[in-house]
Amino acid sequence: MPVVDLALDWIDQDPDPVTRAELQALVDADDLDALHDRFDERLQFGTAGLRGALGGGPNRMNRVIVAKAAAGLAAYLLRETPDDPSVVVGYDARHNSDVFARDTAEIMHAAGVRAYLLPTHLPTPVLAHAILHLGCSAGVMVTASHNPPQDNGYKVYLGDSSQIVPPADTDISALIDAVGRVDELPRSDDYTTVGPEVAEAYVQAVVDLAHDGPRDVVAVYTPMHGVGRNTLVEVVRRAGFAPLHVVREQGDPDPDFPTVAFPNPEEPGAMDLALKLASEVQADVIVANDPDADRCAVGVRDGEGFRMLTGDQTGVLLAELLLRRGAVGTYGSSIVSSDMLGRQAAAHDRRWQQTLTGFKWLGKIDDLVFGYEEALGYSVAPHVARDKDGVSAILAVLELAAELKAEGRTLLDLLDDLYREHGLHATGQLSVRVEDLSIIATAMSTLRSTPPRLLAGLEVTSVDDLADGYAGLPPTDGIRLGLGDAARIICRPSGTEPKLKCYVEVVVPVTDSVEVAREEASATLEAVKSDLAVALGLA
């Protein structure tokens, strides 16, 4: 069918006057390039759900795409859970999140899936916990997490409160493809909008995690224009800490994220306002959420200033807190995260398990007691939600910082102790954002066909194609390079952004001082990244 006819058919069934007008303007202008961009491809539903730029057409996030996703998920639940299936739907404060959430509740309820809608924009971990609290078969969170303001997304969870993994993703995707015209889908506004008691249950569950101990810690917090503030502030208050110093300019939910280029604590400049406030109030620590509050970033006082910890550094600190408290179970981390957690777990006679990238895989570890991925995702309480949770993680960070402060020590002091015991593990990324996805495909092909022999003067001793499976893990698109005991690299395309990501870890024993080891590791890390960029044709 000609692209203009496809657009006209889409317009005819689209319930959104904004996207209808957008597409009609392209048709009237005979802008075939723009129409092909929207109609030649469709957003693919996968283990990350859906995520993309807002706009009309199948290659954008919009009410037609969401209606099809809701109908397909309903069909899946009715097939897999025929005995009274149910779903709870949450949403953040991005553009159209509330509309997409209501559409989902209406369509799923009319299809025969009992639907609950959270009463306002709330953090993603509240939705994940609500699945368990309400005993639902599934959950949907409308959010694009830390993506740019023009994006939105659709995360799907099953009854264990972890995100979907294969084969559920392909099964749901096939049922989405089978959905016909969305203007013919039945709708019902008889779904249940839950009261504040569901969010309250989450808050209390997190507060119940708190241990008795010191509470003297001065903390600066930014919700990054997202939805974490009210929930976290209440948790911190009930746990007995002093009020957080909230970054005023980033305190209220704002879907345009006006103070940051990307609403991600990892992005350059995103934490500048928090760092400035920390200096003004002489904070002990800085804590941050991403916009849907499932991630947590941590900054620490370092001499006269402050610096942000890496995701791996925060991960091993949180793991050490739980290990020293005697938390029993498996300690999990994604394959691109630091291997240091394995050494910590072994020292405490605990099991360590690596998974593929993405918290959905960590959530599937049966006896998970702690899990983390280097992209600022932490689960310190899988029984509260089997997903990353930036609220409970921040509470744990505050407890650890207060305990150390009472001893006259800091998070950095504990980190150095761990380096002395297990070796200094320095991690970093070579990350390239592209407009043309073929650049990523070419780089991966180059790495597979002609891997480098030396990087930073270190011999590449092993090359593992993760597409063939590695260490018992399911196949995935990635390459692992081993450089003996000194370093390892994993290169993979991002699952949520147009990026090639290469994760580098360098390990240096602390034989003299931590500072000497740190300087050696830093120099090696930068040299490896530089040589890798050349090997990939990205320099």
Side-chain angles (χ1 to χ4, degrees):
M1 184 183 296
V3 69
V4 170
D5 292 339
L6 290 172
L8 291 173
D9 180 67
W10 189 280
I11 292 167
D12 193 44
Q13 59 179 303
D14 189 348
D16 189 338
V18 174
T19 46
R20 284 202 311 268
E22 172 197 323
L23 291 176
Q24 188 64 56
L26 296 177
V27 170
D28 293 343
D30 199 28
D31 190 342
L32 297 183
D33 287 344
L35 289 172
H36 280 293
D37 179 50
R38 286 160 174 76
F39 285 88
D40 284 359
E41 296 182 12
R42 177 176 71 82
L43 290 183
Q44 293 300 307
F45 183 91
T47 53
L50 292 164
R51 198 175 295 187
L54 293 163
N59 201 26
R60 299 287 190 273
M61 278 296 297
N62 51 64
R63 294 183 69 186
V64 176
I65 285 291
V66 166
K68 287 179 177 288
L73 178 58
Y76 176 83
L77 293 176
L78 289 164
R79 187 183 76 187
E80 300 294 324
T81 316
D83 183 18
D84 192 26
S86 56
V87 66
V88 56
V89 184
Y91 56 97
D92 66 9
R94 284 179 177 265
H95 293 295
N96 269 10
S97 285
D98 56 342
V99 177
F100 294 163
R102 285 194 298 272
D103 283 343
T104 298
E106 289 177 2
I107 289 169
M108 295 192 75
H109 196 78
V113 178
R114 194 157 35 91
Y116 300 92
L117 180 67
L118 296 186
T120 187
H121 48 66
L122 286 163
T124 290
V126 175
L127 178 280
H129 180 260
I131 298 168
L132 302 175
H133 180 72
L134 296 171
C136 288
S137 315
V140 171
M141 183 68 189
V142 181
T143 178
S145 190
H146 56 279
N147 275 38
Q150 65 268 24
D151 288 4
N152 213 327
Y154 201 83
K155 292 182 181 179
V156 176
Y157 299 76
L158 293 182
D160 64 352
S161 81
S162 67
Q163 293 184 55
I164 56 171
V165 297
D169 58 337
T170 53
D171 290 347
I172 296 169
S173 183
L175 292 168
I176 292 172
D177 290 342
V179 175
R181 293 178 62 90
V182 302
D183 56 346
E184 296 175 358
L185 289 174
R187 289 174 175 257
S188 169
D189 60 4
D190 198 29
Y191 59 82
T192 300
T193 299
V194 301
E197 68 279 357
V198 174
E200 162 60 25
Y202 168 79
V203 168
Q204 190 56 52
V206 175
V207 172
D208 288 344
L209 301 173
H211 283 61
D212 291 336
R215 290 294 187 263
D216 177 20
V217 62
V218 180
V220 160
Y221 168 66
T222 174
M224 204 65 67
H225 297 295
V227 297
R229 180 189 60 193
N230 292 351
T231 302
L232 180 66
V233 165
E234 181 62 13
V235 164
V236 168
R237 183 189 70 80
R238 291 196 204 176
F241 289 94
L244 300 168
H245 294 270
V246 179
V247 176
R248 179 185 56 79
E249 299 92 333
Q250 297 175 336
D252 294 330
D254 189 330
D256 294 318
F257 308 108
T259 68
V260 293
F262 286 90
N264 179 352
E266 293 179 294
E267 291 287 340
M271 294 298 297
D272 286 356
L273 289 171
L275 290 163
K276 179 176 180 290
L277 181 58
S279 294
E280 292 171 358
V281 302
Q282 291 297 293
D284 299 307
V285 294
I286 302 167
V287 289
N289 286 133
D290 66 339
D292 69 327
D294 63 349
R295 299 174 192 245
C296 155
V298 179
V300 292
R301 181 183 293 280
D302 186 14
E304 295 300 312
F306 292 83
R307 68 178 173 91
M308 300 304 297
L309 297 180
T310 67
D312 284 312
Q313 289 172 329
T314 299
V316 300
L317 286 170
L318 288 172
E320 191 67 17
L321 175 68
L322 294 176
L323 286 164
R324 293 185 178 188
R325 286 176 173 176
V328 177
T330 294
Y331 288 72
S333 56
S334 64
I335 192 173
V336 299
S337 302
S338 174
D339 291 350
M340 185 169 169
L341 178 59
R343 301 186 183 192
Q344 292 174 271
H348 289 266
D349 197 26
R350 295 287 183 260
R351 184 168 178 261
W352 172 55
Q353 181 174 333
Q354 285 186 301
T355 69
L356 293 182
T357 306
F359 225 90
K360 53 189 174 285
W361 297 105
L362 288 165
K364 299 304 180 186
I365 298 174
D366 287 340
D367 63 339
L368 182 71
V369 68
F370 170 77
Y372 97 92
E373 57 182 3
E374 53 75 42
L376 308 183
Y378 314 97
S379 175
V380 299
H383 65 283
V384 173
R386 297 189 75 82
D387 193 23
K388 53 186 176 290
D389 181 348
V391 176
S392 58
I394 285 178
L395 177 62
V397 167
L398 295 180
E399 287 196 305
L400 180 57
E403 289 176 12
L404 291 166
K405 184 178 180 180
E407 300 169 2
R409 288 159 41 83
T410 69
L411 294 173
L412 292 179
D413 292 325
L414 176 56
L415 200 56
D416 285 352
D417 287 348
L418 295 174
Y419 290 153
R420 293 184 187 96
E421 182 177 0
H422 304 296
L424 196 146
H425 291 59
T427 58
Q429 270 194 43
L430 173 66
S431 182
V432 182
R433 183 181 294 271
V434 301
E435 295 292 335
D436 181 0
L437 292 177
S438 69
I439 295 173
I440 294 177
T442 299
M444 291 297 295
S445 177
T446 298
L447 198 57
R448 285 188 165 96
S449 61
T450 54
R453 295 183 178 181
L454 290 174
L455 292 170
L458 299 171
E459 181 184 358
V460 176
T461 55
S462 62
V463 180
D464 295 289
D465 192 339
L466 305 187
D468 298 328
Y470 171 75
L473 299 175
T476 189
D477 187 8
I479 299 287
R480 185 186 189 280
L481 305 177
L483 288 78
D485 294 329
R488 65 103 179 107
I489 301 158
I490 296 173
C491 294
R492 57 177 282 272
S494 170
T496 58
E497 299 175 90
K499 281 184 176 181
L500 175 66
K501 292 186 172 183
C502 299
Y503 305 81
V504 184
E505 179 167 42
V506 172
V507 182
V508 175
V510 179
T511 55
D512 185 358
S513 69
V514 172
E515 190 54 44
V516 170
R518 182 177 291 113
E519 291 175 1
E520 179 183 342
S522 178
T524 303
L525 187 65
E526 291 307 310
V528 168
K529 290 196 294 182
S530 178
D531 288 357
L532 182 62
V534 173
L536 292 172
L538 300 172

